Amino acid sequence: MKSFILSIPRGIPSVFMLLMVFYFTLANNPLGINALNVFPYASQVGHFILYFLTALVFILDYAKARLPHHSKINKEMALAAVSAVLSLLMEIVLMWRTNGNYEIKNVYAGTIGSILAFLFYHFWLLHPMRHYLYHSMQHHWRYQHRRKKK
């Protein structure tokens, strides 16, 4: 599993997640659910989950490329902000596409999801990511270090 994760090229997870956002936002009934509101606030829960995952994928893609112990907190926050702005832009596109059907609650849910994804990564997932990727890259670092000494 570790070698598969490390073999994924940089940027591919982020592009895949952007395609998922476009699909789930712009497709008519993407999940095939007959009733639009299965339960109260279903739309907001869906937006929260979608943009939580979007921000988390953006941050993890950046951290994997930089190695987690070299990632910068301001860039992680910027990636979470990009996800929140994407939430706003998708609602604007929906407003234009559906002639004024706009829900500000969906933007709030997407923004809260993006912020919580940043906090989740930074305060809970960062240390396991460092441990997981650092030990897999340690052999590479030792090889490079020995090569420079010669």
Side-chain angles (χ1 to χ4, degrees), residues 17-63:
M17 198 64 209
L18 277 175
L19 292 174
M20 294 296 293
V21 167
F22 293 147
Y23 173 72
F24 280 115
T25 303
L26 301 176
N28 291 329
N29 200 5
L31 298 176
I33 299 173
N34 292 333
L36 183 63
N37 289 326
V38 178
F39 57 90
Y41 303 109
S43 178
Q44 285 77 31
V45 170
H47 279 78
F48 174 83
I49 292 169
L50 181 64
Y51 290 103
F52 178 88
L53 292 175
T54 302
L56 193 60
V57 166
F58 287 172
I59 293 169
L60 288 174
D61 194 22
Y62 161 73

Side-chain angles (χ1 to χ4, degrees), residues 2-3 5-7 60-69 121 126-140:
K2 188 185 298 187
S3 61
I5 291 172
L6 291 172
S7 69
L60 288 174
D61 194 22
Y62 161 73
K64 180 185 159 279
R66 294 276 306 165
L67 292 179
H69 54 285
Y121 171 77
L126 183 63
H127 181 70
M129 278 281 297
R130 283 181 178 166
H131 182 72
Y132 187 73
L133 289 178
Y134 175 73
H135 290 295
S136 63
M137 298 301 290
Q138 193 172 13
H139 173 72
H140 174 71

